Amino acid sequence: LPAQETIVQANPSNRPTSPRLDTAPACRRRLLIVDDDVGTATVLAMTMSEYGHSVEVAHNGADALAAAERFRPDVVFLDLVMPGMSGFEVVRALRALPGLPNVLIAALTGWNDQVTRMAVVEAGFDRHLVKPPYLAEIFDVLACAAQGGGAVTR
């Protein structure tokens, strides 16, 4: 018989690995996902629904603001670059809405340069996630929301 070979896969990016379904946070949250890319928003919404979270999706800033007023999310995952209102404009408008004092807002973007990260902080985001986010990163945001928010992660 041939010798059995052991294969070890490394995580070259040092990004967190995805948790299994049974290790997901027990606390269920109300999530608003805002992205003009329908596929991106749909996949994240379906995934979070599978983990038991209540999810609303919007594909532009105006719909995001209307959904936030109606749905009162605990967490918003917000794309930065969208037609019409940018994510920077939306986050400022969300912060001005009454009744959302503890909402945690995470930028969800393909941009990962220092200038964008600084702009994210200045605009009022709580977190900065780079697309595609790993589930462990999403769960970190949800855990932070369960503890009442937190500062921007760099």
Side-chain angles (χ1 to χ4, degrees):
L1 295 170
Q4 192 169 16
E5 198 173 312
T6 303
I7 298 173
V8 177
Q9 256 185 332
N11 182 2
S13 67
N14 289 328
R15 291 180 79 176
T17 56
S18 296
R20 295 185 339 251
L21 189 58
D22 61 347
T23 62
C27 185
R28 305 302 181 219
R29 311 307 274 160
R30 298 168 63 81
L31 312 180
L32 175 58
I33 298 167
V34 185
D35 199 320
D36 61 315
D37 183 316
V38 175
T40 298
T42 300
V43 168
L44 183 55
M46 288 173 40
T47 303
M48 291 298 96
S49 292
E50 286 292 319
Y51 282 95
H53 298 287
S54 179
V55 181
E56 290 264 335
V57 175
H59 300 295
N60 61 60
D63 290 347
L65 295 174
E69 285 186 290
R70 179 186 73 257
F71 182 61
R72 301 286 184 210
D74 301 307
V75 179
V76 177
F77 293 99
L78 178 57
D79 187 18
L80 294 182
V81 181
M82 299 182 293
M85 293 178 78
S86 72
F88 295 106
E89 293 169 303
V90 175
V91 72
R92 289 182 183 103
L94 286 170
R95 293 290 183 213
L97 287 177
L100 292 176
N102 297 321
V103 66
L104 190 147
I105 305 174
L108 185 58
T109 181
W111 298 92
N112 194 25
D113 58 278
Q114 192 60 35
V115 172
T116 300
R117 286 184 167 275
M118 289 173 54
V120 161
V121 172
E122 291 168 4
F125 285 93
D126 299 298
R127 292 282 189 270
H128 178 269
L129 300 179
V130 178
K131 291 180 184 178
Y134 284 80
L135 280 176
E137 294 170 316
I138 298 289
F139 289 148
D140 181 56
V141 170
L142 298 179
C144 184
Q147 298 170 4
V152 173
T153 302
R154 291 197 158 82

